[in-house]
Amino acid sequence: MGTIPRPRTVTLPDHIRKDPAMQPNPPLPHAATVDDKGVHVTTAQGKSRTYSGGEVMTLTQVIDLADGSATLCQASTETCLELLDEATELASDCDALIAEIAAKGVGANLIGRCEVLKEHLDLQATAAKDLHDKIQGGEEACRTASANAELRHGPIFRAVADSPLTKPAERDFYNAR
């Protein structure tokens, strides 16, 4: 996968940057209050909306969230591998115990219980391996989402952040052919 070069910085001429028609109104801050139901935002026009679950995110927050989720997945996969190793080791111990009990000629009932325990340990090892594989897929998806967010939206995010303009163009500008 190749890298996308940083977009070149364009400095607008002073007559455009200072032209009142280009920036007729500075951005107005919205009023916001926070309570247990979320963040309540009221615009300058009087419209209001409540954001309850962290819906408003910047590109940086999205990338950080995806990276944090990938790190959490990685830790979980390591835990699954530890569980897999432990279950496999205990199942091996059960095999040795079954052989030892059989050699001593103790009751078949004890051997049957040990075999059931070994089956449960084998199931646990299989489940740990399956969960490891699924979480590993989730980790890869999180890392891919993070990389794609930066790759696809990073240049425009930086362009907007670096722009001297404070207001989007009027609709006619975008519709002009």
Side-chain angles (χ1 to χ4, degrees), residues 66-149:
D67 286 340
S69 297
T71 302
L72 181 62
C73 286
Q74 183 179 14
S76 298
T77 59
E78 290 167 4
T79 302
C80 287
L81 288 177
E82 290 169 9
L83 289 172
L84 173 65
D85 290 343
E86 187 176 333
T88 304
E89 184 179 326
L90 288 172
S92 173
D93 290 347
C94 278
D95 281 336
L97 185 59
I98 290 170
E100 190 177 321
I101 292 170
K104 290 185 179 183
V106 183
N109 189 23
L110 185 57
I111 292 176
R113 289 181 184 255
C114 287
E115 287 175 347
V116 168
L117 179 59
K118 183 185 178 307
E119 287 175 18
H120 286 306
L121 289 167
D122 288 339
L123 289 173
Q124 181 179 340
T126 302
K129 176 64 175 144
D130 184 47
L131 188 59
H132 167 269
D133 294 344
K134 288 178 181 176
I135 293 174
Q136 196 169 33
E139 177 187 355
E140 291 173 15
C142 289
R143 294 207 190 281
T144 300
S146 175
N148 284 345

Side-chain angles (χ1 to χ4, degrees), residues 49-62:
R49 168 133 190 221
T50 300
Y51 298 96
S52 60
E55 299 139 26
V56 179
M57 299 180 86
T58 65
L59 179 64
T60 305
Q61 289 171 322
V62 169

